[in-house]
């Protein structure tokens, strides 16, 4: 091989190396840009999820508060009956809280957006599984508890009973601005009414179930929020 041919090969090899290096750099930059965009999208969706989860926690806490007030009122009524106490105006508050029912109102928008983009957008596998479990399992369990037939039947049967055995009270409901103040038409007869006692016991039982599921779900959300805050 003469000197000219050797120099031509050396030049060609150098050009090939430069081209390969250039392609590699371009490919690396493209991957970096793509990953940066994906990471930005991930952070954005996690922030949106976190905001809706805050609202979900607040709604769950409100529901628990209302149901606990309802159960406290039911227990106060039972205590009054058991001790054969006379009617007094303070019982009106407790009677008025008996017919409280709750529904969990949540915003699934950010989760639906994530589902449409693909769950793999969440790079942390453990957190990704927690998000899916919360929306596809835990929230559905709450929906089931709120709409399960015995729960609705107990609530509806109590409503029917109240229509015939209670009347509107002039005393305002200090615990709940949205509930009507009511008082019994015949308090003394109500004391020994087994049907009424059964109905309020059933309502209290289903309230306790809902409270338990609300609190369990709230704990799951709070743990997930900690994970999200570490990521963003």
């Amino acid at each position: 091989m003469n000197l000219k041919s050797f120099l031509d090969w050396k030049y060609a090899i150098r050009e090939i190396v430069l081209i390969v290096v250039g392609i590699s750099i371009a490919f690396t930059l493209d991957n970096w840009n793509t990953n940066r965009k994906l990471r930005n999208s991930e952070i954005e969706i996690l922030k949106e999820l976190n905001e809706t989860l805050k609202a979900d926690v607040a709604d769950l806490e409100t529901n628990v508060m209302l149901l606990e007030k309802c159960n406290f009122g039911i227990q106060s009524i039972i205590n009054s009956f058991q001790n054969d106490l006379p009617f007094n105006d303070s019982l009106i508050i407790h009677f008025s809280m008996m017919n409280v029912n709750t529904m969990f109102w949540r915003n699934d928008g950010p989760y639906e957006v994530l589902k449409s983009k693909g769950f793999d957008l969440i790079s942390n596998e453990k957190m990704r599984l927690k998000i899916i479990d919360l929306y596809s399992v835990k929230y559905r369990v709450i929906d089931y508890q709120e709409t399960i037939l015995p729960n609705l039947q107990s609530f509806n049967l109590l409503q029917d009973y109240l229509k015939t055995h209670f009347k509107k009270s002039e005393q305002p409901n200090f615990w709940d601005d949205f509930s009507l103040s009511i008082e019994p038409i015949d308090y003394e007869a109500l004391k020994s009414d087994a049907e009424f006692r059964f109905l309020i016991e059933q309502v209290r039982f289903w309230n306790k179930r809902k409270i338990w599921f609300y609190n369990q779900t709230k704990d799951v959300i709070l743990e997930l929020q900690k994970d999200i805050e570490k990521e963003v």
Side-chain angles (χ1 to χ4, degrees):
M1 178 181 295
N2 57 38
L3 180 60
K4 184 177 183 303
S5 298
F6 175 75
L7 291 175
D8 288 342
W9 274 105
K10 185 177 180 181
Y11 176 78
I13 291 171
R14 186 177 65 182
E15 288 296 311
I16 292 171
V17 169
L18 289 174
I19 291 171
V20 170
V21 170
I23 292 173
S24 297
I25 291 173
F27 184 74
T28 300
L29 288 174
D30 185 61
N31 281 344
W32 177 84
N33 190 48
T34 300
N35 290 335
R36 181 178 60 83
K37 289 180 179 179
L38 289 173
R39 179 57 179 165
N40 288 341
S41 296
E42 179 185 7
I43 291 174
E44 181 181 356
I45 200 71
L46 286 175
K47 286 181 177 179
E48 291 175 0
L49 273 172
N50 200 31
E51 288 303 310
T52 57
L53 291 176
K54 289 178 183 176
D56 290 349
V57 167
D59 192 72
L60 289 171
E61 289 176 340
T62 299
N63 289 348
V64 168
M65 177 194 66
L66 289 173
L67 294 178
E68 286 178 342
K69 284 182 177 180
C70 179
N71 283 357
F72 176 78
I74 289 173
Q75 187 58 56
S76 298
I77 293 167
I78 293 173
N79 291 342
S80 182
F81 289 174
Q82 288 175 338
N83 295 307
D84 197 25
L85 299 177
F87 179 79
N88 63 81
D89 288 346
S90 65
L91 286 172
I92 293 176
I93 297 175
H94 302 312
F95 283 124
S96 301
M97 288 298 295
M98 291 185 306
N99 60 340
V100 166
N101 197 16
T102 58
M103 295 294 290
F104 177 39
W105 298 105
R106 61 182 183 269
N107 179 4
D108 291 348
Y111 175 75
E112 293 299 325
V113 171
L114 173 61
K115 187 161 67 172
S116 67
K117 290 185 176 182
F119 292 115
D120 287 341
L121 179 64
I122 307 301
S123 55
N124 185 317
E125 182 180 5
K126 184 178 179 181
M127 184 168 63
R128 180 170 67 243
L129 294 175
K130 284 183 180 181
I131 292 172
I132 295 172
D133 178 70
L134 175 64
Y135 283 89
S136 63
V137 179
K138 298 295 189 302
Y139 280 178
R140 289 191 178 185
V141 169
I142 286 183
D143 291 340
Y144 175 75
Q145 291 301 319
E146 291 179 335
T147 58
I148 189 173
L149 188 57
N151 175 29
L152 295 180
Q153 283 179 334
S154 297
F155 180 76
N156 291 333
L157 286 172
L158 179 60
Q159 297 304 300
D160 292 338
Y161 184 94
L162 296 180
K163 291 175 184 177
T164 56
H165 293 78
F166 282 75
K167 63 182 180 180
K168 182 180 181 298
S169 173
E170 296 304 319
Q171 179 174 308
N173 188 342
F174 296 105
W175 276 11
D176 181 8
D177 293 336
F178 302 100
S179 297
L180 183 69
S181 287
I182 59 174
E183 59 183 271
I185 296 172
D186 188 343
Y187 174 76
E188 291 301 320
L190 200 65
K191 285 182 181 180
S192 57
D193 192 328
E195 181 185 4
F196 177 69
R197 178 68 176 270
F198 173 77
L199 289 174
I200 60 177
E201 289 280 13
Q202 283 293 102
V203 167
R204 183 169 64 168
F205 168 78
W206 287 106
N207 284 349
K208 286 181 178 180
R209 281 179 62 96
K210 289 167 72 175
I211 288 171
W212 188 87
F213 281 105
Y214 285 154
N215 282 329
Q216 288 292 311
T217 303
K218 180 185 129 179
D219 290 342
V220 171
I221 294 174
L222 292 176
E223 182 181 344
L224 176 57
Q225 284 185 293
K226 290 180 182 178
D227 293 339
I228 291 175
E229 286 164 3
K230 290 177 183 177
E231 287 290 322
V232 300

